[in-house]
Amino acid sequence: MAHEQLGLSNDELLSTTRAVRKRLDFEREVPMSVIKECMELAVQAPTGSNAQGWQFMFVTDPEKRAKIGAFYQRAFSIYRDMPVAIHKLHADSGDSDLTASQARSASSADFLADHMGEVPVLMIPCIAGRTDNEAGMNIISQTGTLGSIIPAAWNFMLAARARGLGTAWTTLHLMFEKEVAEILEIPFEDVMQIALIPIAYTKGTSFKPAYRPPVETVMHVDRW
Ligand SMILES: Cc1cc2nc3c(=O)[nH]c(=O)nc-3n(C[C@H](O)[C@H](O)[C@H](O)COP(=O)(O)O)c2cc1C
């Protein structure tokens, strides 16, 4: 039987699929049947040449989650000291809404770094091929490879939100991609990990659209 949905409109779903961290419920079990339902929708996404070189790893084993969580935490503490860290970006932008939104995201990111290993399910979307060290990789093969997994992963995250699950796109564990590949027996040379996405039921199901600067500041029509 299909899992119950929240009954969000399309626009509500698209505007409230937020990065959920502090409101992830670590205690409530996430059945594999709801993950499978979301997977059915994930694989409706487009891929270059319809090649479908995607693979999705789901980690539920507590020991493996703890090990991956520890790598994530290590990576996060390295990132935290970088100039591009969310803690520093837009910190004094002059746009007080943007500064406040960044401060909230930073505090939320700190929380997730401390608890990644406790999230009931960790998803690692993977794609055949590597963009980092393959000779002759041009912009089309790079964007083609990444673009053949990211829409599917986002489809999954939207399907999850529709069913009361929270997720967050993270990539910092990739500093230790090889180590995580070893834990999960992912063939590192042939398959690239794209993200580490925590999945849990959310504490409460109401989420608001995030603050974003006016769309005119990022839109161009006919010329840059
Ligand atoms: C490519 C990419 C990589 C990201 N990596 C991380 C990460 O490693 N850790 C993290 O806490 N947030 C990461 N984020 C940020 C969050 O997923 C999220 O977009 C941000 O906190 C804003 O939250 P909102 O989308 O709910 O407004 C990443 C987002 C993207 C798109």
Side-chain angles (χ1 to χ4, degrees):
M1 209 182 68
H3 284 268
E4 204 179 322
Q5 297 195 27
L6 302 179
L8 303 172
S9 72
N10 294 334
D11 287 2
E12 280 167 345
L13 181 68
L14 291 169
S15 59
T16 66
T17 303
R18 303 262 56 87
V20 185
R21 302 182 185 94
K22 289 182 180 172
R23 288 174 60 192
L24 296 171
D25 187 343
F26 301 147
E27 306 306 323
R28 187 168 163 197
E29 190 208 343
V30 177
M32 202 37 74
S33 53
V34 73
I35 299 284
K36 277 194 182 151
E37 249 179 55
C38 298
M39 274 301 300
E40 298 290 347
L41 297 161
V43 297
Q44 291 297 323
T47 53
S49 307
N50 199 22
Q52 298 170 35
W54 48 34
Q55 298 289 333
F56 297 79
M57 171 65 76
F58 294 95
V59 189
T60 62
D61 178 88
E63 270 180 38
K64 290 184 179 176
R65 281 189 285 130
K67 281 185 191 165
I68 294 166
F71 277 121
Y72 182 80
Q73 195 170 33
R74 240 170 96 185
F76 189 83
S77 67
I78 296 168
Y79 157 84
R80 224 179 173 286
D81 292 333
M82 293 176 174
V84 294
I86 194 169
H87 309 76
K88 296 174 187 132
L89 216 58
H90 307 308
D92 34 36
S93 65
D95 178 341
S96 59
D97 288 329
L98 182 58
T99 303
S101 162
Q102 287 295 97
R104 279 194 300 275
S105 291
S107 150
S108 166
D110 287 341
F111 175 85
L112 183 63
D114 289 339
H115 297 281
M116 184 67 97
E118 296 163 49
V119 182
V121 183
L122 300 175
M123 170 167 88
I124 302 180
C126 301
I127 188 77
R130 301 202 62 85
T131 55
D132 51 357
N133 55 9
E134 225 167 85
M137 262 272 171
N138 62 23
I139 183 113
I140 295 175
S141 43
Q142 285 170 3
T143 54
T145 301
L146 294 170
S148 292
I149 180 65
I150 293 171
W154 186 243
N155 258 20
F156 183 100
M157 292 163 80
L158 292 169
R161 163 71 178 137
R163 288 159 180 75
L165 292 161
T167 59
W169 193 283
T170 85
T171 49
L172 289 170
H173 89 284
L174 295 172
M175 285 185 205
F176 300 105
E177 186 195 352
K178 212 170 208 165
E179 290 81 350
V180 170
E182 269 168 32
I183 296 169
L184 301 169
E185 298 166 61
I186 296 172
F188 176 86
E189 301 300 332
D190 306 323
V191 172
M192 186 167 63
Q193 299 170 47
I194 299 299
L196 174 66
I197 300 174
I199 305 171
Y201 281 101
T202 56
K203 295 179 180 168
T205 55
S206 169
F207 289 87
K208 294 195 191 78
Y211 171 76
R212 297 286 190 250
V215 291
E216 291 77 15
T217 63
V218 292
M219 275 181 69
H220 311 270
V221 180
D222 294 335
R223 56 185 298 200
W224 185 261

